[in-house]
Amino acid sequence: MPRELYALIGPSTPALSAQLAKPRLKQKPNFGGTAPRTKWELRTFKNPARKDGLELRHWEKVGADSAADYPFAKYDIQPNSYQYSPEEYTRLLEDKDWTKEETDYLLSVVKEYDSRWYIVHDRYNFPGGHERTLEDLKDRYCSVCRKLIRNRPWAGDDAGKTLLISSYQFDKEREVTRKKYLKSLEDRTPDQMAEEEALYIEVKRLEQSERRFKRDRENLLRTLAGIDSGLPDIVEDDPLPLAILEGSKTKTKKTKGVAEAESPATPAAAPAPTVKKPIKSAAYDAQHCIIRTETLSAAIATKAAHQPAYLRSFKLPAPKAAIAPKVTQALAELGISHTRLVMPTRENALLLDSLIEATTTLVETKRAYDKAEYEIQVLENRLGLREKSQPAEGAEGKIEGGAGMDVNDAQVGKEVEETDGEDGRAQSILSARSGGRSRKHARRSMSISSVDTVSTRANNKRQKRN
Amino acid sequence: MVNYGGDEVSALVIDIGASSVRAGYAGDDCPKAIIPTSYGYHPAPPDADVTMSDGAENIDAVNKSKFANIYIGQSGPSIWREGMEVGNPMVEGLIQDFNPIKPLIDHALEKTMRVNSSEHPILVTEPTWNTPANRERMAEIMFEEFNVPAFYIANTGVLNAFAAGKGSALVIDVGQSMASVTPVVDGFVLRKGLSYSPLPKLIHAHARHILISPTPHRRGIELLPHQLIANKTLVDAGAPPKFTIRQDRIAGTTESWRNWAETREIDEWVQSVAGVLDQGWNDAVAAQRTARQYEFPTGYNNYFGLERFQVGEQFFTHSPQLVASNPNLPKTIPQLITEALRACDPELRQVLMGNVVLTGGGTLFSGFADRLTAELTRSFPHTKIHAPGNPVERRYGGWLGGSILASLGTFHQLWISKEEWQEHGKPIVGQRCK
Ligand SMILES: Nc1ncnc2c1ncn2[C@@H]1O[C@H](COP(=O)(O)OP(=O)(O)OP(=O)(O)O)[C@@H](O)[C@H]1O
Ligand SMILES: [Mg+2]
């Protein structure tokens, strides 16, 4: 090795032995493993599906069984067809519109084209016969088959027989109408199609806004009447949107009507638990006459603790039932009715409250005064009697007094009942509500039919599009 | 093997059209032999026995009386021969003259494919409007003259549907001589729904008219084929051509050959230049499209703009002045489709319009498929058009369907065998091939 070369490659001289080893060829790929090569041969074969002896040739694997049936012969399936004797024809199949010859011809054509009715109708050409529609042909064929099955001895069970008969069921009228509809569907002008499209979109839009409306109302009801009120009978995805539209309209009208019957009201209520309004500044509140009350509902979210929103006029302060008539009477003397506030603002409500409280106190004081007066009188009487030293009469007076109190009590109770009846606001609301609901039910059942047609039309349309 | 249902029995498929005869093995994806249907011949002189000239076919006794020599294939009519006439057996898609059929098929099978017809079952195609006499004659030729072991004649409409992989379809076939719309349901043609017209002939005539009649900015064009031109020199676009005619050939050129050659020139111009606007006729749009240059064998060349779109428009609408001057115009494609659909059951229309199959060389016309799609979706929004992009598949759809059908295992029970032919005679054709 020359020195220059050594200087270049240094002591790491490549081993020459590797290069001198005998080159090895890549191993031959072994296609198909050890299995012997498949041999094919050209063979003649007969097709059992043929009635003649035609022999064709194709390639087959050498090992294959040459005596085996032609594999495609099994696809040769003859449709079952019905034949009838002349006697059967006269007994069962007479029809004033069809001759026996034409019926024979019909059956042969149906058999020939394997009940492909469009083709049967296309190729049907009975010399001397008049024009027949596809439905005519199908009707006749099916009725012939049905009659034959029904009147022939049947080997199997009845279920099989009815099943077979039902497979030949054909309702000509319905088919004709269906085709007519189909035709009218196709004969629509572009204008009509556009209109239909527009209507369809409109219905969709209505449905959508209806759903939104329903949701809003639900929220409102929850706000007003508590968390478990709302609309139990309305599911979110109601398939009958129009019925709801009808029903809800009447219902909202009712509730609105009730609200309007009450005096104009400013709601002083807790905000709905579901809707969290952003807390605005005090200035904003003052400007919009909003008075905030502390609500515990945020902290306690249980159903029991939940206090639904209410109208202030619903919860006007009322005197204690026992003395209510007296209070009413006292106020009436002054020309004031405490059951109704023309302007039930917060201040007015408070004033009314204090008025009633004052009246109550007045009435109670009067009562206490009366009682004391009475007692004094009784005691004076007793004193007078004792002075006359007649003890028996005192007992009589006691009895008399008890009876007077009894009468008084009874009178009070009666008056309480009367006031209840008078003020039965809750009752009237309830009845109004139930009335509304029952009417709504009626409406809904009425509108189901109309909605049905709408939705089927929509379905048709969708089919058409497909 | 059974899985795909194929069982090849080395059947042959022959599809005879007005422009070409297609022949090949069943199971192949394109025909092995494609030869022009037009043939050249020298008429037989009253008595004398002429010697065979170069390139001529062997002629059997029947044809001896009519043709002295017959020239078929690539070197058939396209080669100029003194006194050679050109004939075509097809009229309106049907075989009118059966004399040259045997030499044509012979040429395709024996000369081009080099097969022995007596060893192969043969499937032949026919248009839907074929007459029973015609198909029986075809069967007779096949059994008696080609000695085939088995024969079947199938409908091109059905075969085109099969080639598209469909059992039910509305087949729109525009060939060289005929345009047809055929509803196919479950592998059968609805005969009542068939509608057809010689529309391609009108397109051709229109193109010829455009070319040969002078316009304000261009002279009438001479449609001389290159066989008659000795030499030419390059000229500018629109300039009068400079060429020399082969005077020696003019005298020996027959009227029919001249006609055939001109037709070819026009066809070539149509195929390379003509088109159709895809959204209906619109002068502004047509003027916007780029003009195309085309050079004729004479050396004359020019740019064709508006004119090239007028040609294709004839497929879809007839101009009012044309309608006024000619009451029996062939029906346009939309008219054919409307007529076909009107005759079909309303229930079928949706199915058919969802399976429109476009086939035939005429549909390769540039812009044809797009325009048809635009026309159809206007009245049937759910139209689906199957138009193979492969020109071979498009032009030879009928042959391809035959190739598929004749290689199916289940089909082999349908062949009319020689034995059956001998036993039942002609009626078997009508019974078997429905
Ligand atoms: N690219 C093309 N553009 C326009 N036309 C074309 C094109 N290719 C072929 N053609 C036309 O197609 C016609 C041939 O079509 P095809 O082979 O389907 O006819 P055919 O089946 O022989 O005739 P027919 O169906 O009428 O018996 C010719 O007239 C030819 O001009
Ligand atoms: Mg064709």
Side-chain angles (χ1 to χ4, degrees):
Chain A
M1 188 182 295
R3 241 189 343 175
E4 292 80 8
L5 184 57
Y6 184 82
L8 273 176
I9 56 177
S12 57
T13 324
L16 287 176
S17 59
Q19 268 85 2
L20 289 175
K22 196 171 169 240
R24 282 181 54 210
L25 292 174
K26 221 170 114 209
Q27 202 182 352
K28 248 187 181 173
N30 183 11
F31 296 115
T34 50
R37 249 174 239 111
T38 329
K39 283 214 176 73
W40 293 72
E41 65 181 5
L42 194 60
R43 269 198 213 150
T44 59
F45 68 94
K46 267 196 181 170
N47 189 342
R50 293 186 67 92
K51 289 181 193 72
D52 66 340
L54 176 69
E55 290 200 339
L56 296 167
R57 294 186 301 164
H58 63 182
W59 290 91
E60 264 184 83
K61 277 189 187 151
V62 167
D65 180 12
S66 54
D69 254 3
Y70 186 57
F72 293 100
K74 64 169 180 281
Y75 297 110
D76 178 38
I77 299 160
Q78 294 298 325
N80 70 326
S81 61
Y82 288 92
Q83 299 290 321
Y84 45 80
S85 62
E87 186 268 327
E88 267 181 319
Y89 186 86
T90 45
R91 194 159 53 86
L92 303 168
L93 307 174
E94 288 287 5
D95 187 318
K96 62 180 188 318
D97 199 28
W98 289 78
T99 60
K100 178 165 186 304
E101 288 71 34
E102 193 169 357
T103 312
D104 290 349
Y105 176 73
L106 171 68
L107 260 69
S108 73
V109 178
V110 172
K111 180 164 190 261
E112 191 173 350
Y113 293 105
D114 211 359
S115 305
R116 291 182 173 89
W117 284 102
Y118 298 120
I119 318 292
V120 169
H121 176 238
D122 186 61
R123 306 291 161 89
Y124 190 89
N125 181 21
F126 184 68
H130 61 269
E131 188 82 359
R132 304 241 187 228
T133 65
L134 202 160
E135 285 75 27
D136 289 339
L137 299 179
K138 210 165 168 179
D139 188 41
R140 175 64 175 164
Y141 178 78
C142 287
S143 76
V144 165
C145 290
R146 278 200 311 269
K147 280 176 191 153
L148 287 178
I149 298 168
R150 203 171 291 140
N151 290 289
R152 276 179 181 173
W154 179 259
D157 57 341
D158 270 2
K161 185 169 176 171
T162 43
L163 195 72
L164 190 62
I165 290 180
S166 70
S167 73
Y168 286 107
Q169 217 48 264
F170 182 73
D171 187 346
K172 186 173 159 187
E173 292 305 314
R174 226 188 83 203
E175 284 295 300
V176 170
T177 332
R178 194 172 65 82
K179 291 254 168 88
K180 219 158 64 198
Y181 279 142
L182 212 59
K183 218 167 143 36
S184 68
L185 203 64
E186 252 170 41
D187 289 346
R188 290 172 307 169
T189 62
D191 279 355
Q192 284 169 325
M193 269 193 238
E195 189 184 335
E196 209 165 279
E197 191 78 8
L199 282 177
Y200 182 75
I201 289 170
E202 182 70 7
V203 164
K204 274 271 161 254
R205 217 176 50 75
L206 277 178
E207 262 174 36
Q208 209 170 14
S209 62
E210 166 58 23
R211 215 168 299 144
R212 199 179 49 233
F213 176 70
K214 199 174 63 185
R215 213 173 34 240
D216 289 354
R217 202 161 58 86
E218 169 95 15
N219 280 340
L220 189 66
L221 269 172
R222 276 181 199 279
T223 314
L224 291 177
I227 210 156
D228 43 13
S229 56
L231 311 165
D233 54 344
I234 293 175
V235 234
E236 181 60 21
D237 270 317
D238 204 309
L240 309 169
L242 289 188
I244 286 159
L245 184 72
E246 299 277 331
S248 56
K249 250 187 195 156
T250 54
K251 199 168 176 187
T252 36
K253 223 176 264 165
K254 265 265 113 63
T255 27
K256 236 202 242 155
V258 170
E260 273 165 4
E262 303 305 320
S263 52
T266 38
T274 45
V275 191
K276 281 263 187 295
K277 278 189 186 134
I279 293 154
K280 295 271 168 57
S281 65
Y284 177 89
D285 285 357
Q287 191 189 351
H288 292 88
C289 304
I290 294 172
I291 297 142
R292 293 186 187 278
T293 52
E294 282 87 82
T295 47
L296 301 164
S297 58
I300 311 155
T302 57
K303 270 186 189 175
H306 175 72
Q307 194 197 17
Y310 59 93
L311 295 181
R312 189 180 291 122
S313 57
F314 275 45
K315 296 216 171 167
L316 284 182
K320 273 184 227 141
I323 54 164
K326 290 254 168 71
V327 174
T328 315
Q329 198 187 352
L331 289 174
E333 273 170 31
L334 298 169
I336 300 171
S337 159
H338 73 90
T339 51
R340 198 165 160 279
L341 254 188
V342 174
M343 193 66 75
T345 61
R346 195 170 132 95
E347 285 75 23
N348 286 354
L350 286 176
L351 280 176
L352 181 66
D353 198 16
S354 58
L355 172 67
I356 285 175
E357 214 159 282
T359 322
T360 308
T361 330
L362 182 69
V363 168
E364 259 163 14
T365 318
K366 169 108 194 321
R367 227 189 204 188
Y369 166 78
D370 281 355
K371 204 176 166 189
E373 188 109 310
Y374 177 73
E375 261 169 23
I376 289 169
Q377 207 180 343
V378 167
L379 288 175
E380 271 179 359
N381 279 353
R382 226 183 250 176
L383 195 65
L385 281 179
R386 189 161 292 177
E387 278 168 2
K388 286 175 193 167
S389 58
Q390 288 291 344
E393 281 176 27
E396 204 189 359
K398 206 178 187 180
I399 291 162
E400 208 183 301
M405 274 184 68
D406 263 354
V407 168
N408 201 9
D409 271 355
Q411 206 184 342
V412 168
K414 199 175 147 220
E415 272 169 1
V416 166
E417 252 174 42
E418 265 171 25
T419 42
D420 264 353
E422 238 175 344
D423 125 315
R425 206 180 283 131
Q427 229 178 29
S428 72
I429 289 174
L430 245 174
S431 65
R433 223 186 239 180
S434 64
R437 182 165 305 162
S438 64
R439 207 165 313 149
K440 192 195 72 186
H441 274 306
R443 287 263 184 124
R444 178 184 285 190
S445 59
M446 209 174 67
S447 51
I448 277 172
S449 55
S450 64
V451 166
D452 242 357
T453 55
V454 167
S455 64
T456 44
R457 238 199 281 151
N459 280 346
N460 276 352
K461 214 169 153 155
R462 244 167 267 146
Q463 266 174 12
K464 227 213 123 204
R465 249 203 226 137
N466 294 340
Chain B
M1 229 171 43
V2 180
N3 284 344
Y4 74 98
D7 181 23
E8 293 181 11
V9 295
S10 59
L12 302 177
V13 178
I14 301 177
D15 177 23
I16 304 178
S19 74
S20 57
V21 176
R22 284 77 73 158
Y25 287 107
D28 280 5
D29 57 3
C30 66
K32 281 258 183 301
I34 301 171
I35 58 169
T37 311
S38 292
Y39 58 95
Y41 66 96
H42 283 120
D47 34 44
D49 211 41
V50 273
T51 47
M52 282 253 288
S53 74
D54 199 28
E57 304 283 316
N58 307 321
I59 304 173
D60 52 33
V62 187
N63 280 328
K64 269 263 164 53
S65 56
K66 200 164 174 236
F67 311 122
N69 283 308
I70 185 161
Y71 309 94
I72 290 168
Q74 302 309 329
S75 48
S78 53
I79 289 179
W80 185 89
R81 294 179 181 89
E82 184 165 5
M84 181 179 75
E85 305 269 1
V86 173
N88 189 315
M90 310 290 286
V91 173
E92 303 220 316
L94 300 184
I95 301 173
Q96 185 83 3
D97 177 10
F98 274 92
N99 290 320
I101 291 299
K102 174 149 199 293
L104 278 169
I105 294 177
D106 247 344
H107 185 95
L109 299 188
E110 255 115 89
K111 286 247 170 67
T112 316
M113 289 181 67
R114 306 212 166 266
V115 292
N116 183 353
S117 57
S118 63
E119 293 171 0
H120 303 272
I122 292 186
L123 182 141
V124 181
T125 68
E126 60 168 2
T128 311
W129 57 96
N130 202 8
T131 60
N134 236 335
R135 65 210 309 232
E136 282 163 11
R137 177 89 180 86
M138 186 49 109
E140 195 177 348
I141 291 179
M142 283 297 158
F143 282 118
E144 309 297 338
E145 305 194 21
F146 288 93
N147 209 17
V148 295
F151 165 81
Y152 192 82
I153 190 158
N155 184 289
T156 45
V158 174
L159 294 182
N160 272 303
F162 285 173
K166 296 171 191 298
S168 302
L170 188 72
V171 179
I172 302 177
D173 181 353
V174 183
Q176 170 167 290
S177 57
M178 299 301 272
S180 65
V181 176
T182 321
V184 176
V185 174
D186 282 346
F188 287 94
V189 165
L190 289 185
R191 297 229 175 96
K192 287 176 183 146
L194 166 77
S195 61
Y196 59 101
S197 73
L199 184 62
K201 288 260 180 257
L202 177 81
I203 312 294
H204 189 87
H206 191 78
R208 174 190 289 258
H209 176 78
I210 285 181
L211 290 180
I212 63 173
S213 43
T215 68
H217 44 270
R218 133 165 105 61
R219 36 183 270 154
I221 298 165
E222 294 154 288
L223 295 169
L224 283 167
H226 66 86
Q227 288 96 329
L228 296 184
I229 290 165
N231 58 57
K232 60 181 177 184
T233 41
L234 199 65
V235 293
D236 284 341
K242 294 197 191 85
F243 63 96
T244 349
I245 292 184
R246 289 181 73 151
Q247 289 299 342
D248 56 324
R249 286 191 168 179
I250 292 298
T253 303
T254 61
E255 188 66 26
S256 64
W257 186 85
R258 185 70 182 265
N259 212 351
W260 172 86
E262 278 186 13
T263 302
R264 244 174 58 137
E265 291 310 322
I266 295 163
D267 268 349
E268 251 162 50
W269 179 80
V270 168
Q271 288 178 23
S272 43
V273 171
V276 63
L277 296 175
D278 50 6
Q279 295 294 342
W281 183 256
N282 184 332
D283 279 317
V285 175
Q288 258 175 27
R289 297 290 196 89
T290 47
R292 278 210 192 144
Q293 193 179 20
Y294 186 81
E295 186 183 316
F296 291 89
T298 54
Y300 176 82
N301 67 89
N302 208 339
Y303 288 92
F304 296 90
L306 209 66
E307 297 152 303
R308 70 193 188 98
F309 293 110
Q310 281 167 352
V311 181
E313 196 60 24
Q314 302 292 323
F315 275 120
F316 296 94
T317 45
H318 293 320
S319 62
Q321 57 266 44
L322 196 65
V323 176
S325 65
N326 193 342
N328 328 314
L329 285 174
K331 295 184 197 97
T332 61
I333 300 285
Q335 281 169 345
L336 290 175
I337 294 174
T338 317
E339 198 168 286
L341 285 183
R342 205 183 311 126
C344 289
D345 198 274
E347 213 168 7
L348 280 174
R349 288 174 199 160
Q350 289 294 330
V351 177
L352 293 176
M353 289 320 284
N355 294 287
V356 177
V357 171
L358 215 53
T359 184
T363 62
L364 285 171
F365 194 91
S366 125
F368 186 94
D370 292 338
R371 173 65 177 275
L372 189 68
T373 312
E375 295 264 337
L376 288 185
T377 41
R378 207 174 299 146
S379 33
F380 302 91
H382 310 303
T383 308
K384 265 216 188 81
I385 297 188
H386 175 96
N390 178 350
V392 173
E393 225 168 281
R394 183 85 72 86
R395 244 189 112 166
Y396 309 129
W399 184 89
L400 191 61
S403 160
I404 293 171
L405 184 63
S407 61
L408 288 179
T410 42
F411 173 73
H412 301 318
Q413 78 177 81
L414 287 177
W415 293 108
I416 301 168
S417 67
K418 186 153 194 151
E419 183 187 330
E420 283 171 316
W421 170 258
Q422 278 158 354
E423 191 178 328
H424 303 281
K426 288 176 177 177
I428 185 88
V429 183
Q431 286 164 26
R432 191 62 62 77
C433 312
K434 296 184 243 194

